[in-house]
Amino acid sequence: MGSIVDLPQIIGDRLDRLRETLLLRDGIFIGGEWTSGSSNERLDVLNPSTGQIIASVACATDVDAHRAIVVANDVMREWSARTATERADVLMRWYQLLLDNVDDLATILTAEQGKPLSEAKGEIAYSAAFVRWYAEEARRSYGDVIPTNRAGRRLFALRQPVGVVAAISPWNFPALMIARKVAPALAAGCGVVLKPPSEAPLSALALAELGHRAGLPPGIFNVVHGQPEIVGPVLTSSPLVRMLTFTGSTEIGKLLMAQSSTTVKRLALELGGNAPFIVFDDADIEMAVRGAIEAKFRNAGQTCVCANRLIVHSSVREEFVSQFVSAVGKLKVGDGFDPDVTIGPLIDEAAVAKVERHLHDATSQGATIAHGGHRHSLGGTYFEPTVLVGVKSSMDVTREETFGPVAPVLDFETEEEALALANSTESGLAAYFYTRDVGRVFRVGEALEFGVVGVNTGAISYEGAPFGGVKESGLGREGSRHGLDEFTELKYLCVDGI
């Protein structure tokens, strides 16, 4: 059985404040049981705020991953045969347990990922909202009665579970991305094998523990954390896995897509972004600044929908930059457990190195740092929130996803130029723009080549709305009723001789 993480090792990382220490698990979860797996290898989990090891968790092997798939496939027969209401009731109990344990879950999340505790609490609440949404949607997975084409015949379209789902989730939202994938899969009647991020597996294990308490059948939701190069190929090659859902980089998404082609799996891919944030000359500047702060610096800029390029009309650029720099200067960098902190650390040294590379490239080509621009005095992987001006579209900071607290500002003159700048990317996940012109709302909103568009807001997330990208930002949608459809097959039933 998987043990509870040794609390004396982590007192300095604030996990001693947990009310429910049984939420801290260090095993893999297969068939409703906690186990150390078939290997003695372990994965160390670091607190990015301190660099300290806060846990050492079991490392799944290919044997463990295969066993989890077989178990999920076997248990799915019983789970999918349950009524939609029965599945919904279990998910609602899981939802309530998430809310009942929001403080502990947020503490675990902040300890392993680094984001401010207030953001972590918001993530847990949002995770619970997805579980509730799909508990409700489980009873609304409707098919169709098709008008017949021949006397004595009835035609139907039925929705059935796609099969065993392999889910691979990222470290930047270690609870949310699990709820957004696992809840609709379970609501549809599928079995799930989750591979959580090696950097932040503790949240996944806590969610699995609460799902078990809620009454999920043993084996319907399994968690196998381990080395990606070992676990990943098992998930992509198994003929029992009928769908793969992944959130992460476009590079890895393409690799998984190729690996999954041998068994022609259903794919749902939420990949990288390069979000434009356009401020037109008629925008409410104060509102735009608030939205830019929210869209750019949430989770220290480590989000796929992060505003990666601030495209500002030349006539309001000076006013916008002045207010924006002033607002950025009020952000506080530090340990996520400090109640005054608004920006935590970056996840690791590689993330800091990428930020520094982008800044060096931009400044060497003439961009100017208006604020920040350096590693923070706190050391470690902390970085100052940074504003760049005089940025050109040829610079790496506009062509690549920085995934850090750097806001590059570009100028434009016309609506057509703004759209050309915004759409000049292979990514197409999220975009934002600010205007008070109603006609422009529709012109620009429809012309932006992105799957999600925020108009006069930097906060676009809602469990009832479809989320996903176009172009190289992925396939499929999460959230809304469409998110449930991703986990079902549409079967045509033709009944004759009536």
Side-chain angles (χ1 to χ4, degrees):
M1 299 291 287
S3 62
I4 303 170
V5 175
D6 185 14
L7 281 175
Q9 297 178 8
I10 54 181
I11 285 179
D13 289 274
R14 315 296 177 86
L15 287 174
D16 58 316
R17 67 177 67 183
L18 293 178
R19 291 186 305 117
E20 174 60 277
T21 57
L22 286 174
L23 292 180
L24 276 175
R25 294 286 184 171
D26 65 355
I28 58 178
F29 190 59
I30 301 177
E33 296 185 347
W34 295 101
T35 173
S36 58
S38 57
S39 167
N40 293 324
E41 186 178 353
R42 312 285 290 183
L43 288 172
D44 288 339
V45 182
L46 304 181
N47 180 339
S49 290
T50 63
Q52 296 180 8
I53 296 174
I54 59 172
S56 178
V57 298
C59 190
T61 65
D62 54 350
V63 173
D64 299 319
H66 178 70
R67 185 163 73 88
I69 292 169
V70 171
V71 168
N73 186 63
D74 291 342
V75 175
M76 188 186 131
R77 294 185 180 92
E78 183 272 330
W79 176 247
S80 62
R82 293 192 188 187
T83 67
T85 298
E86 289 174 321
R87 293 197 300 273
D89 288 345
V90 175
L91 289 174
M92 282 301 294
R93 288 196 292 272
W94 193 21
Y95 156 74
Q96 191 58 54
L97 285 171
L98 293 178
L99 291 186
D100 291 345
N101 291 276
V102 63
D103 288 339
D104 280 353
L105 292 172
T107 297
I108 292 171
L109 198 160
T110 292
E112 67 176 343
Q113 200 275 339
K115 67 180 58 178
L117 189 60
S118 60
E119 284 191 26
K121 289 181 179 180
E123 179 174 337
I124 299 303
Y126 193 27
S127 303
F130 272 98
V131 175
R132 178 180 61 182
W133 177 269
Y134 284 110
E136 296 164 344
E137 286 298 295
R139 298 186 296 169
R140 292 191 280 271
S141 185
Y142 300 129
D144 295 302
V145 177
I146 304 168
T148 187
N149 63 335
R150 185 180 302 172
R153 172 180 284 189
R154 298 294 183 270
L155 311 177
F156 304 93
L158 311 176
R159 288 208 171 271
Q160 296 182 313
V162 68
V164 174
V165 174
I168 302 178
S169 59
W171 53 261
N172 58 340
F173 290 95
L176 172 61
M177 296 305 177
I178 293 171
R180 205 156 76 174
K181 298 176 185 301
V182 173
L186 295 175
C190 300
V192 179
V193 178
L194 170 70
K195 194 274 178 204
S198 300
E199 299 89 343
L202 300 179
S203 292
L205 301 180
L207 263 61
E209 169 66 23
L210 292 177
H212 183 66
R213 295 182 193 181
L216 288 173
I220 201 65
F221 177 28
N222 307 276
V223 183
V224 287
H225 36 86
Q227 300 296 342
E229 62 272 19
I230 294 176
V231 176
V234 178
L235 300 180
T236 56
S237 65
S238 172
L240 293 179
V241 173
R242 297 309 314 147
M243 178 179 178
L244 174 74
T245 173
F246 167 75
T247 295
S249 71
T250 300
E251 178 186 8
I252 299 301
K254 290 179 178 180
L255 175 63
L256 294 172
M257 193 175 187
Q259 292 177 347
S260 298
S261 67
T262 59
T263 51
V264 195
K265 299 191 192 307
R266 169 83 60 85
L267 294 172
L269 305 175
E270 194 254 285
L271 308 178
N274 187 0
F277 187 101
I278 307 171
V279 182
F280 285 102
D281 54 351
D282 65 333
D284 182 320
I285 299 302
E286 290 185 8
M287 181 184 290
V289 167
R290 289 195 300 271
I293 292 291
E294 187 170 31
K296 173 69 254 182
F297 294 108
R298 183 189 302 113
N299 198 18
Q302 300 173 116
T303 78
C304 293
V305 296
C306 175
N308 203 56
R309 300 168 290 153
L310 276 57
I311 303 171
V312 184
H313 194 276
S314 60
S315 67
V316 296
R317 180 187 57 80
E318 184 175 347
E319 180 184 1
F320 175 85
V321 169
S322 175
Q323 292 191 31
F324 185 59
V325 167
S326 176
V328 170
K330 297 175 183 177
L331 299 175
K332 181 178 179 180
V333 177
D335 189 315
F337 285 107
D338 184 332
D340 296 326
V341 160
T342 48
I343 296 184
L346 297 183
I347 191 65
D348 56 25
E349 182 61 31
V352 178
K354 185 176 185 180
V355 168
E356 291 182 323
R357 177 173 64 82
H358 279 187
L359 288 175
H360 174 74
D361 175 78
T363 54
S364 67
Q365 295 187 56
T368 303
I369 296 174
H371 187 277
H374 303 92
R375 290 176 182 250
H376 199 276
S377 59
L378 290 170
T381 59
Y382 292 105
F383 203 91
E384 296 174 343
T386 299
V387 181
L388 275 174
V389 296
V391 175
K392 305 300 181 184
S393 59
S394 60
M395 299 173 181
D396 289 347
V397 75
T398 70
R399 297 169 57 249
E400 301 175 7
E401 187 177 27
T402 302
F403 234 59
V406 178
V409 181
L410 298 83
D411 293 359
F412 75 93
E413 298 293 339
T414 67
E415 185 176 299
E416 292 74 20
E417 183 185 0
L419 282 169
L421 284 170
N423 289 333
S424 62
T425 173
E426 296 172 344
S427 300
L429 185 55
Y432 310 85
F433 69 94
Y434 279 70
T435 182
R436 285 180 282 198
D437 183 328
V438 175
R440 178 175 281 155
V441 166
F442 291 98
R443 285 196 310 274
V444 174
E446 294 170 5
L448 285 167
E449 298 171 354
F450 297 83
V452 181
V453 179
V455 184
N456 294 329
T457 180
I460 52 179
S461 299
Y462 168 50
E463 66 274 10
F467 180 90
V470 299
K471 298 191 283 189
E472 293 193 13
S473 283
L475 304 168
R477 293 296 181 267
E478 295 179 331
S480 81
R481 64 179 178 85
H482 303 288
L484 184 62
D485 291 346
E486 295 286 343
F487 296 90
T488 65
E489 294 282 12
L490 194 62
K491 176 181 286 186
Y492 166 50
L493 189 64
C494 176
V495 183
D496 214 333
I498 294 176

